[in-house]
Amino acid sequence: MNLSTGTEIADSVNRADSFFKRLKGLMFTKNLPAGHGLLIQPCQSIHTFFMNYPIDVVYLDGKNKIVGIDENFMPSKIGKIRREATSVLELPAGTIRNTDMKVGHCLSIKYNK
């Protein structure tokens, strides 16, 4: 949920918080369905090697404030390091535009267990 606008961002968010879950991320997946996301913690940068589709990337600080955004991040790329980020939310491409997320907005994230 984007607390700054009241807009739902995703209704199903998984969490990658162990070394192996963070390492795997979305690699080798066929797609990231609409309404889904992956929260990677801790994380300051991502890559999209071994992915076949673009994603939207939201970099968050320790209070879930958006400190960086990469829209339509293509496969086989390395993102720049966002030193102020403590986690990254990966979303289907187009989510940032469709939900009007901006740097400075605050999110509330409830993830699947």
Side-chain angles (χ1 to χ4, degrees), residues 1-101:
M1 176 72 68
N2 185 333
L3 297 176
S4 300
T5 63
T7 305
E8 183 177 77
I9 304 302
D11 58 9
S12 179
V13 176
N14 289 320
R15 186 173 173 195
D17 57 355
S18 71
F19 174 78
F20 289 109
K21 286 180 183 178
R22 290 190 336 259
L23 178 66
K24 181 178 182 291
L26 295 172
M27 288 192 310
F28 307 111
T29 60
K30 293 184 181 185
N31 64 17
L32 184 58
H36 287 71
L38 179 66
L39 180 68
I40 305 171
Q41 291 181 297
C43 187
Q44 294 181 323
S45 180
I46 59 119
H47 70 84
T48 53
F49 296 121
F50 308 107
M51 290 180 60
N52 297 313
Y53 56 92
I55 58 173
D56 281 356
V57 185
V58 180
Y59 298 85
L60 303 166
D61 71 7
K63 295 183 179 180
N64 288 338
K65 181 173 116 183
I66 300 174
V67 295
I69 288 176
D70 286 325
E71 290 187 70
N72 205 37
F73 199 79
M74 299 304 286
S76 302
K77 302 288 182 197
I78 298 174
K80 67 181 189 177
I81 296 171
R82 310 279 181 147
R83 300 229 181 263
E84 60 275 10
T86 59
S87 62
V88 170
L89 180 60
E90 297 180 338
L91 299 161
T95 303
I96 291 171
R97 180 179 21 87
N98 294 338
T99 60
D100 199 30
M101 276 190 279

